[in-house]
């Protein structure tokens, strides 16, 4: 019997490559998300440190001009935090889209792989049946030859 050949092997290979690419893209965007989370955390730490300095200086007594400078600095830091949070949200949305693409690619690849396994199973059963028929034929011939030789 001829060797097993899955007719959709090229499609399966393509889908597996698409899955690998989707995994790589997802991993890259996930790294960007983690990096952006660190940026946001650093900005928030700067804000907390600056705010602490402002409160300490306020307790010691500071001029109105100094207070205005601190308040403007805090507002500027809040704006930076907001910008970085906006970037983080955009990256998270992009990561969710990439994850969805990766999951879809995985489903497509898995369904083709499952179909391939079913076809291989059917092929193996056909090969086994063919071999059994060939063995039965040989046994029948051997019996017929033995019966013909004995008569």
């Amino acid at each position: 019997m001829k060797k097993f050949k899955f007719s959709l092997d090229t499609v399966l290979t393509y889908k597996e490559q698409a899955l690998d690419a989707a995994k790589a893209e997802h991993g890259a965007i996930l790294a960007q998300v983690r990096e952006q989370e660190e940026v946001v955390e650093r900005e928030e730490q700067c804000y907390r440190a600056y705010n602490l300095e402002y409160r300490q200086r306020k307790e010691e007594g500071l001029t109105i001009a100094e207070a205005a400078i601190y308040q403007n600095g805090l507002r500027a830091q809040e704006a930076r935090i907001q910008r970085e949070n906006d970037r983080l949200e955009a990256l998270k949305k992009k990561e969710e889209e990439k994850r969805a693409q990766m999951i879809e690619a995985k489903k497509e690849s898995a369904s083709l792989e499952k179909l391939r396994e079913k076809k291989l199973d059917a092929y193996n059963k056909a090969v086994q049946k063919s071999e059994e028929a060939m063995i039965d034929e040989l046994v029948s011939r051997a019996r017929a030859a033995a019966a013909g030789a004995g008569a």
Side-chain angles (χ1 to χ4, degrees):
M1 198 164 185
K2 64 181 180 164
K3 185 180 168 198
F4 174 71
K5 174 88 171 106
F6 182 54
S7 61
L8 296 174
D9 260 339
T10 54
V11 176
L12 178 60
T13 302
Y14 172 77
K15 293 296 183 180
E16 287 172 343
Q17 289 172 347
L19 174 60
D20 291 343
K23 283 180 180 179
E25 290 172 3
H26 180 254
I29 194 72
L30 204 54
Q32 290 176 356
V33 167
R34 299 293 175 251
E35 188 176 313
Q36 187 62 28
E37 287 173 341
E38 291 173 7
V39 168
V40 168
E41 182 58 33
R42 282 193 303 271
E43 292 295 335
E44 288 174 345
Q45 286 175 350
C46 286
Y47 177 84
R48 287 190 295 270
Y50 195 67
N51 192 26
L52 179 63
E53 180 184 331
Y54 170 57
R55 284 186 274 136
Q56 288 172 344
R57 292 283 317 272
K58 197 164 62 169
E59 287 177 11
E60 297 168 0
L62 67 154
T63 65
I64 293 174
E66 290 174 324
I69 290 171
Y70 273 106
Q71 289 173 354
N72 286 338
L74 287 172
R75 279 195 288 275
Q77 188 63 35
E78 287 170 354
R80 279 194 293 275
I81 290 171
Q82 186 59 49
R83 270 194 312 275
E84 297 302 336
N85 271 323
D86 291 346
R87 287 184 188 142
L88 177 60
E89 290 306 311
L91 285 171
K92 282 183 176 180
K93 188 173 185 176
K94 193 173 177 182
E95 183 270 334
E96 287 175 14
E97 291 169 0
K98 291 294 180 186
R99 184 182 322 125
Q101 289 174 358
M102 184 183 69
I103 289 170
E104 189 59 33
K106 190 172 183 92
K107 285 179 186 176
E108 291 173 3
S109 180
S111 66
L112 280 173
E113 187 61 41
K114 194 165 202 116
L115 178 62
R116 183 183 188 286
E117 288 174 12
K118 284 182 180 179
K119 295 281 186 181
L120 180 58
D121 235 12
Y123 169 81
N124 286 336
K125 286 179 183 175
V127 166
Q128 184 178 1
K129 196 172 195 176
S130 171
E131 288 173 352
E132 288 173 359
M134 190 169 37
I135 290 170
D136 286 346
E137 179 67 26
L138 289 173
V139 169
S140 295
R141 284 186 186 172
R143 284 187 184 153

